[in-house]
Amino acid sequence: MDLRLVTLPVIVPLFAAVLLAALRAICNSRAADGIALIAAGSSTVFSGIILSASRHQTIVYWLGNWQPRNGIAIGICFAVDPIGAGLATLCGGLTVAALIFSCKYFDRAGTLFHVLMLVFLAAMSGFCLTGDAFNMFVFFELMSASAFALCAYKTEEREALQGAANFAVTNTIGAFLVLDGIALIYARTGALNLAQIGRTLGASRDALTLIAFALITSGFLIKGAVVPFHLWLSDAHAVAPTPVCVLFSGVMVELGLYAVVRFYWTVFSRALPDSTPALQWLFILFGTATAVVGGVMCFAQHHLKRLLAFSTISHMGILLMGIGMMTPQAMSGVWTYLAGHSLVKAALFMGAGILVHQFRTVDEVALKGRCHSWAAGLIFAGGGLALAGLPPFATFFGTAMLEDAAKRSGYGWAPAVIMLAGILTGGAVLRSGMRIFLGIGRGRPLPSSESHDDSEKRGPVSPVMTIPALALLAIALCIGVPRSFRDGILRYAATLQDSGAYASRVLEGTPTPVQTSTSADIEVATIIRSCSSALIAAALGWFALAGRFRGFRRSLAASPVQAMVNGLRSLHSGVVGDYVVWIVAGVVAVGVALMVQL
Amino acid sequence: MSRRVRIFLFLPLAAAFLILLLAAMEGIPAIGHYRGPYGDVLNAITVKERHTTGVVSAVNFDYRGFDTLGEESILFVSVIGATLLLRQRPDEIKDTNESEQDEGARKVPEPSDAVRLLSLALAAPAVLFGIYVVTHGQLTPGGGFQGGVVLATVPLLVYVAGDLEIFKKVAPAMLGELAESAGVGGYILIGVAGLIWGKSFLENVVPLGPADPKVYSGGTIPLISLATGMAVAGGFVLLLISFLEETLELRLKTKRRGK
Amino acid sequence: MIATHWPYGIAAWLFIVGLYGIVTSRNYVHLIMCIAVLQSSTYVLLVTIGYRSGATSPIYANISPDTPAVDPIVQALMLTDIVVEAVVMALLLALAMQIHQRAGSLDPDKIRFLRW
């Protein structure tokens, strides 16, 4: 592969965005669709080429050709391993799908929408590929700035403004936490290159290193929507336009967790070996809380987009639990699950978008029995079952790998939490699917006030909207099946975690050692368990709707369970000051937990 | 949570956070004892290798030029976002509660002669100074950011002296958009030139100029500085226009009411 | 310790003060200014880190090439940081203006657009 391709996934969409902005006076919306699709498509193809080349060797590319001198990096580098390149490809692919979907979704999308989407894509790709701490911060901010604007895109809706404001304030604080952390490390090491920081930091475990790690991790966990940093997410996802939600839930949130992984293994893993138990405990605790809170809140929603948003939070918890186990086996489960979740969640948001498009509401109760599109029904059914972990969706293989790793590293109870989160989130989606497409359960007339608003086109379900969603589901269905895929992911996960090899590859150009490990076999018991968990999810959905359980549901509503759910719900107040208090609480919790071990 | 509960919860957390931060900062070398090595290496090689004397500009526009490209894009995307948020849609005007807005609007007095004279007298020197700062980035502590912001104050001075109408003539939104797009686009193209010449992205492709740095030495650094200056000036002008247009609406209403 | 590290303490203090302002704010514009205070914490931290006693600024115009100078990197990072946050602030202020138009209020506690 020509090394010059490495920057193109970032440069092409960025340049197309500038071009579109300059030409927006003379460019009609079809031409804008075309240019944006071509740019996003070629960015995806370039990422794919880089991915296939990085499988044998981590690609290191020095921008401006400023090669390191005596192990000191003087420029910025892209250091691309298959995980980073794979995520960049995923970002590109989902952007293409979202852009196709938005062709029919908006009536007057205007060129600015495409400009923002392309810059967003460029930022995400750059974030995945870069090997420099400050450059990562810059792309983090670029990603945030375009995301804030995209979130508030429907300025005529009041909720969009408040959702975007909460999103912007919390994530900006996150960016400063990250920047302060980077500044602290720079004071210690005089380096900004991830590999060089990791090497210079060596085994210096003291307050500075620990707090810097706490700041950076907390900053990225805000983006990663982990309890108690997660409160902005349900607001932002509930109000953003659906094609934007596809990217928010599909990849942006996951990139927060990716950044934590990248920073930990390139920079801190050698400095903090004695803190590893504390850190594992911390990640798994936070992950468990996130999985459970997200799952419960998800099941308690009737607003479809908010429901999907909480399910994303829940799945971020599962991923963080996997990260906490820290073995390559667990991490391979994390990456597989992440890929599956991204595709499925993107498809589900498109499904919700189809309903908004047709009926101008995302209230599950108002939509009872109204939609008769088999394609949209298929999206909800498939998506719900996939979230519950039905084989052979990629989420199933991810769960299976995580369960295997959990047993090996002594967290025998973790699979139960993962299963619970899957059942709750999958059950919630299946419940709304059954209510909307089969007409089971209680209903309510469509709100009439919303029917006059026509900023988004109203009309029949177009294949332009269903095909991208079904295609994403189909990919999620097939991608994990080949054994080679799982073996590959395990090898790449191990490559990412080999921090010594990463440092010498980046700073001296030493070839990366080839990892040779094969993934564990999928046991029949796991398949049976996952199938039953999908069945339980469907049963749970049915239980929440069917008339014959009405009495039992009433008694449940009077019980302390409901009071607890209400308490949880009231924490998601929509007031940004509250959110910031929880963020500070989270940062202090991470910091203190690490310092106590010192 | 009520405000009271929130503050009650926040204060102990803030104290703990402050202690954590101070504990971390104790690990930094004492003030004035920076240890390097990154900055020292660049201080040692920049003049010789890049024929420039301003190391900060060399870092911004060359060694870490990719950061600056990202940062230009943030400027670009934020300006687009702000204009998007501030644009009035036809269906929106009837939405806003007119009487309430009139109550809230402050009366804007006409500028006095002294203000007019001073701002107009400052405008021309500000243009010159802005251009000087942009073009001397590689030699002095100037550069595209600083000069761009100085340039963007010129239309603001004109606005202070007169009216938004004159302001729009001096700095039409179209010009701002063009300058911004051309700045960011030009930055990317300078980078791509490296790729086309078979080198790295953002690698220097033009002659470095005399070893004793002059205004035209430094290769791509002055070019990138210029592109940045354009993008920054254009972006800030666009932001000013978007925000001032909202103010103009209010001012027109006040005037109408005055008659 | 205080004699040698107090400027870093200013950065820490600014961070906390900014957070306090955000948490207790009754007005979005005030809240955004508090974010600016938070951000100045990062400026102070970055610039003080690179300071070196008795060294000049990293401009080699009329001095010999081996004169000790302060760290140019942190200054460049700060410059980037300033521009980034100036424009993000503009985006936030635009949001605040829109919120004021819709709600007639800027108090984050009183604005309850989000319903579920």
Side-chain angles (χ1 to χ4, degrees):
Chain A
M1 184 197 74
D2 190 339
L3 265 182
R4 287 181 293 171
L5 286 179
V6 175
T7 48
L8 292 184
V10 185
I11 300 307
V12 169
L14 205 55
F15 192 71
V18 175
L19 204 65
L20 268 180
L23 298 179
R24 76 168 183 265
I26 53 167
C27 196
N28 68 17
S29 78
R30 286 292 144 242
D33 281 340
I35 294 177
L37 271 173
I38 291 170
S42 42
S43 168
T44 316
V45 171
F46 290 133
S47 297
I49 295 172
I50 296 167
L51 170 63
S52 84
S54 67
R55 284 179 305 151
H56 315 294
Q57 191 67 262
T58 301
I59 300 171
V60 179
Y61 180 77
W62 293 92
L63 289 141
N65 201 22
W66 293 112
Q67 303 280 348
R69 317 249 165 121
N70 306 324
I72 297 171
I74 59 173
I76 294 171
C77 79
F78 271 15
V80 190
D81 56 17
I83 299 292
L87 279 169
T89 316
L90 189 66
C91 297
L94 287 189
T95 311
V96 170
L99 282 170
I100 295 176
F101 180 83
S102 64
C103 287
K104 287 276 172 192
Y105 184 75
F106 285 111
D107 199 10
R108 43 187 172 97
T111 327
L112 288 183
F113 177 75
H114 299 90
V115 173
L116 292 172
M117 289 287 269
L118 287 176
V119 177
F120 192 40
L121 168 62
M124 292 191 294
S125 312
F127 191 73
C128 297
L129 302 180
T130 191
D132 185 278
F134 191 76
N135 198 234
M136 221 162 163
F137 164 77
V138 169
F139 279 118
F140 186 72
E141 273 295 278
L142 181 58
M143 189 157 80
S144 300
S146 36
F148 304 156
L150 280 170
C151 185
Y153 186 76
K154 291 188 286 182
T155 40
E156 65 276 2
E157 286 179 14
R158 309 190 308 167
E159 305 90 59
L161 296 172
Q162 197 186 358
N166 290 352
F167 178 26
V169 172
T170 48
N171 280 262
T172 306
I173 293 174
F176 292 141
L177 290 172
V178 171
L179 185 57
D180 261 12
I182 292 174
L184 283 174
I185 301 185
Y186 182 78
R188 168 64 50 86
T189 61
L192 290 172
N193 184 282
L194 291 173
Q196 196 194 336
I197 304 174
R199 185 180 278 181
T200 318
L201 212 51
S204 63
R205 188 172 77 110
D206 63 353
L208 184 140
T209 322
L210 288 172
I211 300 298
F213 176 72
L215 291 174
I216 292 173
T217 306
S218 313
F220 285 130
L221 286 185
I222 293 178
K223 188 66 96 190
V226 166
V227 171
F229 305 110
H230 69 289
L231 295 142
W232 62 271
L233 184 136
S234 51
D235 293 351
H237 284 49
V239 300
T242 315
V244 176
C245 289
V246 168
L247 293 186
F248 278 13
S249 254
V251 275
M252 180 186 78
V253 180
E254 283 86 342
L255 288 188
L257 295 182
Y258 161 77
V260 171
V261 172
R262 176 64 78 192
F263 256 92
Y264 179 72
W265 268 288
T266 53
V267 171
F268 291 103
S269 61
R270 274 167 295 174
L272 312 174
D274 298 331
S275 295
T276 310
L279 206 59
Q280 285 186 318
W281 180 81
L282 199 71
F283 278 170
I284 290 181
L285 189 76
F286 272 50
T288 307
T290 311
V292 173
V293 168
V296 171
M297 285 298 288
C298 171
F299 200 78
Q301 302 298 320
H302 284 161
H303 182 295
L304 279 181
K305 275 157 94 176
R306 198 171 267 278
L307 182 150
L308 292 176
F310 277 111
S311 113
T312 299
I313 293 175
S314 177
H315 295 287
M316 291 309 110
I318 295 179
L319 293 179
L320 191 65
M321 286 170 78
I323 294 171
M325 294 171 204
M326 290 194 175
T327 58
Q329 283 78 21
M331 287 310 295
S332 66
V334 167
W335 302 125
T336 313
Y337 194 88
L338 189 151
H341 169 259
S342 294
L343 296 164
V344 170
K345 193 51 67 67
L348 277 171
F349 264 112
M350 287 180 183
I354 291 169
L355 295 171
V356 181
H357 182 73
Q358 255 196 316
F359 303 103
R360 313 246 59 81
T361 180
V362 276
D363 183 359
E364 175 195 320
V365 185
L367 285 168
K368 182 205 155 187
R370 283 188 202 276
C371 191
H372 305 290
S373 156
W374 62 267
L378 199 62
I379 295 168
F380 272 80
L385 291 172
L387 290 187
L390 182 79
F393 280 103
T395 42
F396 156 72
F397 289 105
T399 318
M401 288 150 111
L402 281 174
E403 285 178 0
D404 183 49
K407 266 178 222 142
R408 287 189 202 196
S409 33
Y411 297 98
W413 50 273
V417 177
I418 297 175
M419 200 167 151
L420 176 72
I423 289 172
L424 281 172
T425 54
V429 172
L430 290 173
R431 180 200 66 201
S432 51
M434 282 189 248
R435 173 136 49 192
I436 295 168
F437 297 97
L438 303 180
I440 308 173
R442 176 172 70 85
R444 165 188 324 151
L446 273 177
S448 58
S449 62
E450 290 183 56
S451 60
H452 299 300
D453 177 27
D454 55 4
S455 69
E456 288 160 14
K457 232 189 248 177
R458 186 163 186 183
V461 180
S462 149
V464 175
M465 299 173 89
T466 49
I467 288 175
L470 290 173
L472 292 180
L473 269 185
I475 296 173
L477 190 69
C478 313
I479 193 171
V481 177
R483 180 74 192 244
S484 58
F485 175 83
R486 281 172 278 144
D487 288 349
I489 290 235
L490 182 61
R491 273 204 310 278
Y492 309 147
T495 306
L496 195 157
Q497 285 170 261
D498 191 348
S499 46
Y502 177 85
S504 15
R505 174 69 186 154
V506 171
L507 297 171
E508 280 100 28
T510 326
T512 329
V514 181
Q515 307 278 349
T516 49
S517 35
T518 46
S519 61
D521 286 312
I522 304 292
E523 289 165 26
V524 182
T526 318
I527 297 178
I528 294 171
R529 202 167 50 242
S530 295
C531 288
S532 56
S533 118
L535 259 176
I536 297 170
L540 184 68
W542 184 63
F543 164 76
L545 295 174
R548 77 174 64 159
F549 298 119
R550 192 173 294 146
F552 186 64
R553 283 203 302 271
R554 269 208 201 109
S555 61
L556 203 63
S559 70
V561 176
Q562 186 65 31
M564 272 161 65
V565 172
N566 287 346
L568 203 57
R569 199 191 275 257
S570 68
L571 289 182
H572 300 73
S573 57
V575 178
V576 72
D578 295 356
Y579 293 6
V580 176
V581 173
W582 292 120
I583 287 174
V584 178
V587 180
V588 170
V590 177
V592 169
L594 289 174
M595 289 294 281
V596 166
Q597 284 282 311
L598 186 75
Chain B
M1 268 194 269
S2 71
R3 257 179 108 249
R4 202 176 267 276
V5 176
R6 206 189 301 150
I7 296 175
F8 189 72
L9 267 176
F10 176 74
L11 287 177
L13 288 172
F17 192 17
L18 184 64
I19 292 170
L20 287 176
L21 280 177
L22 290 176
M25 285 167 179
E26 202 200 334
I28 305 178
I31 178 90
H33 292 81
Y34 167 70
R35 284 200 291 245
Y38 194 173
D40 292 343
V41 173
L42 291 190
N43 276 341
I45 64 173
T46 300
V47 183
K48 206 163 49 193
E49 290 186 6
R50 299 298 286 121
H51 296 192
T52 59
T53 52
V55 184
V56 178
S57 296
V59 173
N60 264 326
F61 300 131
D62 192 22
Y63 293 109
R64 301 188 63 82
F66 200 62
D67 277 347
T68 309
L69 177 59
E71 184 245 291
E72 291 310 296
S73 317
I74 297 175
L75 175 82
F76 170 76
V77 85
S78 302
V79 170
I80 287 195
T83 38
L84 186 90
L85 277 167
L86 292 172
R87 83 185 154 190
Q88 285 275 339
R89 288 182 170 176
D91 54 313
E92 210 171 287
I93 289 165
K94 63 173 185 282
D95 252 33
T96 50
N97 192 339
E98 205 156 299
S99 64
E100 193 188 337
Q101 242 189 18
D102 274 7
E103 296 295 322
R106 271 180 300 149
K107 263 214 161 112
V108 188
E110 290 290 309
S112 73
D113 287 345
V115 171
R116 268 172 211 250
L117 189 70
L118 190 64
S119 9
L120 285 181
L122 278 175
V127 174
L128 265 182
F129 184 58
I131 293 174
Y132 165 76
V133 174
V134 170
T135 50
H136 286 67
Q138 74 277 31
L139 303 177
T140 64
F145 303 128
Q146 300 92 322
V149 176
V150 173
L151 280 175
T153 59
V154 176
L156 192 63
L157 283 170
V158 176
Y159 165 75
V160 171
D163 212 321
L164 188 62
E165 289 309 306
I166 313 176
F167 171 85
K168 275 181 164 169
K169 272 186 200 134
V170 177
M174 193 59 198
L175 193 70
E177 267 170 38
L178 216 65
E180 203 202 6
S181 302
V184 182
Y187 201 137
I188 298 175
L189 287 180
I190 294 171
V192 171
L195 293 183
I196 294 170
W197 260 264
K199 295 180 169 184
S200 249
F201 186 76
L202 280 176
E203 190 169 351
N204 188 44
V205 285
V206 292
L208 281 175
D212 177 28
K214 294 281 184 299
V215 179
Y216 49 91
S217 62
T220 44
I221 293 179
L223 297 178
I224 291 180
S225 174
L226 201 67
T228 309
M230 268 165 63
V232 171
F236 274 83
V237 166
L238 267 180
L239 279 180
L240 287 173
I241 292 179
S242 317
F243 277 98
L244 288 175
E245 264 177 357
E246 291 263 328
T247 325
L248 178 74
E249 296 274 307
L250 298 180
R251 190 187 279 199
L252 281 179
K253 272 181 198 158
T254 333
K255 264 189 191 166
R256 237 182 281 132
R257 206 166 43 166
K259 277 170 195 165
Chain C
M1 150 83 205
I2 291 174
T4 51
H5 283 76
W6 62 268
Y8 308 131
I10 296 177
W13 179 245
L14 281 173
F15 206 96
I16 303 295
V17 168
L19 281 176
Y20 177 80
I22 295 170
V23 167
T24 58
S25 181
R26 290 175 198 274
N27 184 311
Y28 265 116
V29 176
H30 168 264
L31 191 149
I32 293 163
M33 291 308 124
C34 292
I35 296 183
V37 172
L38 196 66
Q39 168 204 10
S40 9
S41 148
T42 60
Y43 302 162
V44 174
L45 187 58
L46 281 172
V47 172
T48 45
I49 281 172
Y51 178 66
R52 180 174 279 162
S53 325
T56 64
S57 62
I59 308 291
Y60 288 90
N62 297 313
I63 52 173
S64 85
D66 43 1
T67 319
V70 300
D71 186 30
I73 305 293
V74 285
Q75 302 195 358
L77 300 189
M78 198 194 71
L79 212 52
T80 307
D81 189 23
I82 290 177
V83 180
V84 166
E85 295 312 319
V87 289
V88 172
M89 218 85 2
L91 194 60
L92 278 164
L93 283 170
L95 263 176
M97 271 177 102
Q98 283 290 321
I99 288 177
H100 182 254
Q101 266 199 356
R102 297 310 159 83
S105 161
L106 277 170
D107 189 342
D109 280 312
K110 292 210 178 106
I111 293 161
R112 296 288 163 95
F113 288 159
L114 293 162
R115 57 200 155 124
W116 58 90

